[in-house]
Amino acid sequence: MIDKSRIEEAMQTAIDHSTADQTEVLANNRSMALTRFSNNYIHQNVAETNMSLSVRAVIDKKQGYASTNRLDKDSIKEMVDKAIEIAEHRPPDPDFISLPKPRPIVQRDMVSDTTVDYTPKQRASAIQRLLNVVAPRNFTAARAFSTGYTTFGVANSLGVNAVETISEADLKTVVMSPTSSAFGSAVAVDVSNIDIEKIALEAEETTLRGQNPVGLKPGTYTVILSPNAVADMVSFMAFAGFGALSLQEGRSFMKDKFGQQIMSQNISIWDDAYDPNTIGFTFDFEGVPKEKVVFIENGTAKGVCYDSYTAKKEGKKSTGHALPAPNPYGPLPLNLIMSPGDSSLEQMVKTSERAILVSRFHYTNLEDPIRTVLTGMTRDGTFLIEDGEIKMPVKNLRFTQSIVEALSKVELVSMDRELREGMLGASYIPWLKISEFNFTGATQF
Amino acid sequence: MKDLTSLALDVAKTYGATYADIRVIDEEHESIAIKNGRVEEATTSTNYGFGIRVIADGSWGFASSFLVEKAEIKRVARLAVEIAKASAMIKKENVVLSPILPVQDTYKTYVEIDPFKVSLEDKLALLLRAEETVRKTPGVSISHASMNISREKKVFASLEGSYIEQEITESGAAVDATAIKGSDIQERSYPNSHGGDVATAGFEFIQGLKLDENAGRVAGEAVALLSAKQCPSGEFTVILDASQLALQVHESCGHPVELDRVLGMEASYAGTSFLTLDKLNKFQYGSPIVNINADATIPGALGTFGYDDEGVPAQRFDIIKDGRFVGYLTNRETAPVIGGQSNGSARADGWGRIPLIRMANINLLPGDSSLEKMISEVKDGLYLATNRSWSIDDKRLNFQFATQIGWEIKNGKLGAMVKNPNYTGITPEFWNSCDAIAGKDEWRVWGLPNCGKGEPTQLMHVAHGAAPARFRNVKVGVGR
């Protein structure tokens, strides 16, 4: 692992060399290894070490950007000179006021030496344990096990200076029979906390139960969505409307809705990088500490997240949700959390006369960002529930559904939540039972 | 450079590699974007590093680093072998590569105007002219223009004796208009959505796009869409414009013919393919007028190169011939499965990633019709243009695309504009319903710079040649 002092030194070299009015430097040091398996053998096995620096030079409201992964002093200086040259030759941005000033940051301990030092042989042994569970049934398993760390630093000429490291172990698998499949996953700071056998056994059971699915006519159904499916949906919604830039540009579904109930009362959604159930850096890409931001409280629209640029436009304070500048998305939440309910998967099934249980969505995409119309397929285990019991596996269905509308028809929320990946990092998400969910098509398997 | 590549290969061999290659890549990239009259992005980046791929104990290993220096090359070569030996702990059989003749060669994109030598002022001026036209159109909420240029200098060397140097330059640009009224959001883009059009070419390609001459039209259309009627729901005859067809080819033909996907190597991520091995040379993928080929040699196309990342020369071959499925995209590892040799389809996203089977330029070949003739033959249908959203199932069968704009076709004539169009179908049913394809005059290649695949995720730059085509009995207006 590259020393924190080495990263701080590289950032300081850039700041010291800069003649700009203000200068910001981001450092990213990443060492990740990933073992990929399919058909019950390892077919790809890779490792990467990289460190890059990015600089933002500000001259009289003009910003220039440059980045490099050549870290000798001359290359760092050359990068700074390029950013300054770009800034000098572009028109000013009247809305830009300043880079942020330093604020105190309380960091979390998110480094496990076990994860950092995990070897290719250890990853292979772990995968073998997974295969030992599923292979006797003639099932096959695929996907990947990755381990490594990311060190991220931000410094600016106003005194911001923050460096933090997170180690991460990420196991994902799809277990397959000739006619069914199931997904299992876990992500942890400490690789020792990943229970491989549990993931394998659960996926094996769903694969077994999902064999020989029957076709089901698309239509409007009550659905029970797994945390995987809900995380997918909620992160698209957050991308479309929980950031201040989408609000300021008039393309957020939150526009003109603050204080109004737009979802069911049992839905609350917020972002909190300090929640112990999430994994994430405690400061953003401008070095601003991340604040908890509530987006939806008991179904009511409450707020959006800000970076320094969007905050200053409204005379507000950044909430610490900047992405690396420049970017077209503006601030976004990367540690989404949904409130728990008092239900359970068992209760959701038991209380359903006729419903569809969805284990996972596949290839979701927004068709309309303001109406939050999302389309995608079900995958890795779709089941018909009748009279309070899981009756049979069904072939995969396509849905075309407004996310906000779906979240306004939530009947039950589970007490248990899981950390699941969506398009915006990992979210901590419960199971949901939703009425009137629109399935608009079907496929052949 | 040869001393470094030789060192890598020697060290790998010493530690037990029976095959090894190294790619050393130096990338340069420049992005500029204007939004609502202000410069949203003006940035330059460089990225340098190397990746070593080996076979040891019959399995693959790969390791990479940003420190291109002797000590690090030795460490990474040894690590790649260690990783390969760990892979061999869980293997089915030894990796066997299709044979290849060692090559010493160079390849360079033909560039008329070096885009890195054009001044920032000139680039900003070109974009500002287009963006300003959009911004000044009454009713437009967001005006946007963007440009991306990149250059990749790549050295490939292998234990088999190949040493190939390539320099690939890319240039692309776009202008976008967004109109918003209440909860209605409408976007129009030129020359295409999702970043416009990109080519392996110089600044002359960006100049040739004539963004400023087309900005007013797309801005006007974005505003007009706000008051257009909703796209109807039902089954219609649909004509797709060439840019939407490019993405249709990409998702429903390009990905399903990747042989690694067919063999299950992508099963758990984006999925497998309905085009299983038993269908090769037997399956009627589309109607007899549907011909699709792969061609990595088209001058200027975004998927054009000299050699793939295994040192195999760029090639042209058939995928769909007279509607019948006849060819996969292969690499050196998978080609022997179907008794063939690699057709040069292995490419990696930079120095830190392994080569996967990737599309180069996958093209729907021109037919003998024209857009005008196709429209004239439709009594009640729709003409849909420019992609807005895409989704397809994990065997590449059920797809759903939304487009930015559509027009009714009534009694052989283009009619009223319609908004929020989308269409859905099952891949072979859809392509078998194709009854007309426009000819050479309306055929062009569309660059797609954002094709995702693999873990860790790799983004590849690919392209698709297409001309407008017509499809019968297509389900339109889904979920309305």
Side-chain angles (χ1 to χ4, degrees), chain A residues 34-37 44 46 142-144 170 172, chain B residues 265-266 268-270 353-354 356 453-458:
Chain A
L34 182 144
T35 302
R36 208 169 181 215
F37 51 103
Q44 290 164 16
V46 302
R143 197 125 188 193
D170 187 352
K172 292 191 180 71
Chain B
M265 293 177 182
E266 296 290 327
S268 62
Y269 188 50
R353 298 285 184 272
I354 52 165
L356 302 173
K453 184 178 178 181
E455 292 172 294
T457 302
Q458 302 193 32

Side-chain angles (χ1 to χ4, degrees), chain A residues 282-296:
Chain A
T282 55
F283 52 91
D284 71 1
F285 288 85
E286 294 181 311
V288 176
K290 289 192 174 178
E291 292 178 6
K292 179 178 176 178
V293 176
V294 178
F295 305 112
I296 305 290

